[in-house]
């Protein structure tokens, strides 16, 4: 039997730190449910001291995870951070506090303004303090990739002595080459007394495009936990992509002496869900989950694949849940068929909420006849977004064409239930709709990006719009909306981004 490698997912903590990818607590619980279906071992749910909303997210993820996954909360090496993390984890059956401090020369001197001795002391104190609150304490040696090796061993020895159960050796800046990183992991595993009783974790970033290679090199060198995110979401160039390390381990488990418990058939769904919720699209040629990951276009390759898939395909698309969507429902499908399919996709609803989803399903089914899984997920997510909304679009009427002046009339309800009917003209229909929405909202924001995508096949497909706006304080927010009518999708996406901006501003104050 090969070594079991724990998959520590940090989509909800390191991942959501990407610009514009922040998720509210409700969105985090949706992702957490999918992570549970995927079978991840640890869900790092957030950084509780950073905001009330992150605190709530950690608590909520703790209560839905039960004993299915360890729920981790992030904390800097201060008593206050650690206390707040422990409070947020009260709901978790298997809580873990993740605490740590910078250990590279630039982190110690430039960022923290401390001496080497002080950092060792703080690290050990933080772990000892966390141990008084929970049993499972992970220590991260921030920027270990650029640390002095002898010093790294000294810090880690101190935290192992203080009772840490997991030691994370991150290449925080994505600086290392894989074999150099492996040497660091190996050096720690050979020079820290008692290390055989703790788990070694690797955590890498993709600044040189090496995040997956780094994690695998770390596993070969002795690590048994990989910290990663869905779609490689994360700061700058991102983190190690969960789907990539999982499939590499599945393919080369013998050489790596490793296996994971991930349900790989959920990978595609998890990827789409995270992309949809964060508004961060996945590049078409992304390994494992990109739209072209299993597409063959050269004639020679196609001929080969037709004879035997294995000629040019190392992974069966079905293994990662990418075997294409089948037509499953139509307007004639009743309540129970829809409820059943939604359950299979992992969504359950109270009766009242289900009725709303069913109504929306009928509308879509009337318009486009064949309803795919992707359509259902879009309906569900649309519904889940609405629940959290401050402004809701009730109606939108557009007049446009050549030589008309594009005009929009929008009806919008605010959180207090007041209806606003506004009209505006613009350079085009989307501009007119957005100007009308701005009149109600009254907050200036800058539209940075606007993209339309068909979710499923055919001319009647649902159009999904993603927008990216910059708030007056410079923060970036994504919004998504979907509808058969792309102008309506556009308005929904814009309102969604505005709602997120307002929610985030409130949760910070
Ligand atoms: Mn990181």
């Amino acid at each position: 039997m090969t070594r079991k490698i724990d998959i520590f997912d940090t989509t909800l903590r390191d991942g959501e730190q990407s610009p514009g990818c922040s998720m509210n607590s409700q969105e985090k619980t949706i992702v957490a449910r999918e992570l549970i279906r995927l079978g991840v071992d640890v869900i790092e749910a957030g950084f509780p001291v950073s905001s009330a909303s992150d605190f709530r997210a950690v608590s909520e993820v703790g209560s839905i995870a039960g004993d299915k996954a360890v729920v981790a909360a992030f904390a800097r090496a201060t008593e206050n951070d650690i206390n707040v993390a422990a409070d947020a984890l009260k709901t978790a059956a298997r809580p873990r506090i993740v605490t740590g401090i910078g250990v590279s020369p630039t982190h110690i001197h430039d960022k923290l303004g401390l001496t080497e001795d002080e950092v060792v002391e703080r690290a050990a104190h933080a772990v000892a303090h966390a141990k008084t609150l929970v049993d499972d304490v992970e220590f991260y040696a921030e920027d270990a990739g650029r640390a002095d090796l002898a010093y790294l061993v000294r810090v880690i020895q101190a935290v192992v002595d203080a009772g840490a159960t997991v030691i994370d050796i991150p290449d925080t800046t994505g600086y290392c080459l894989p074999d150099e990183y492996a040497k660091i992991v190996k050096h720690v595993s050979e020079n820290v007394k008692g290390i055989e009783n703790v788990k070694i974790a690797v955590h890498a970033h993709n600044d040189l495009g090496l995040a997956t290679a780094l994690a695998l090199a770390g596993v070969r060198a002795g690590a048994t936990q990989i910290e990663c995110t869905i779609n490689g979401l994360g700061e700058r160039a991102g983190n190690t992509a969960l789907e990539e390390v999982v499939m590499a381990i599945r393919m080369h488990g013998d050489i790596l002496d490793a296996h994971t418990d991930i349900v790989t058939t959920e990978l595609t769904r998890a990827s789409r869900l995270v992309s949809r919720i964060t508004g961060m699209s996945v590049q078409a040629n992304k390994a494992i989950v990109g739209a072209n990951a299993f597409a063959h276009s050269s004639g020679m390759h196609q001929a080969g694949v037709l004879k035997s898939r294995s000629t040019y395909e190392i992974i069966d698309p079905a293994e990662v849940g990418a075997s294409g969507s089948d037509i499953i429902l139509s307007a004639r499908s009743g309540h129970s068929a829809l409820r059943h399919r939604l359950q299979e996709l992992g969504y359950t609803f109270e009766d009242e909420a289900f009725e709303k989803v069913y109504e929306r399903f009928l509308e879509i089914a009337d318009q486009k006849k064949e309803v795919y899984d992707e359509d259902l997920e879009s309906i569900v997510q649309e519904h889940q977004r609405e629940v959290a909304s401050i402004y809701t679009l009730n109606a939108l009427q557009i007049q446009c064409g050549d030589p008309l002046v594009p005009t929009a009339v929008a009806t919008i309800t605010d959180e207090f239930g007041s209806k606003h009917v506004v009209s505006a003209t613009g350079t085009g229909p989307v501009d007119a709709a957005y100007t009308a929405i701005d009149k109600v909202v009254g907050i200036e924001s800058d539209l940075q990006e606007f993209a339309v995508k068909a979710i499923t096949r055919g001319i009647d497909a649902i159009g999904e719009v993603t927008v990216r706006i910059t708030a007056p304080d410079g923060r970036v927010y994504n919004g998504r909306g979907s509808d058969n009518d792309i102008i309506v999708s556009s308005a929904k996406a814009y309102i969604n981004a505005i709602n997120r901006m307002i929610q985030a501003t409130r949760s910070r104050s």
Side-chain angles (χ1 to χ4, degrees), residues 10 13-15 17 44 74 142 168 170-173 203-205 227 229 234-236 238-239:
T10 183
R13 203 277 301 168
D14 219 351
Q17 288 177 5
E44 189 171 40
F74 184 86
E142 190 176 9
D168 172 27
D171 186 15
T172 307
T173 51
H203 176 122
H205 281 264
E227 308 198 352
T229 60
E235 296 265 29
R236 308 183 308 277
N239 285 60

Side-chain angles (χ1 to χ4, degrees), residues 72-100:
F74 184 86
R76 290 164 299 190
T78 70
E79 287 198 7
N80 184 51
D81 273 31
I82 292 167
N83 293 342
V84 175
D87 277 348
L89 286 169
K90 286 232 159 75
T91 51
R94 296 165 63 199
R96 178 184 294 177
I97 290 175
V98 177
T99 186

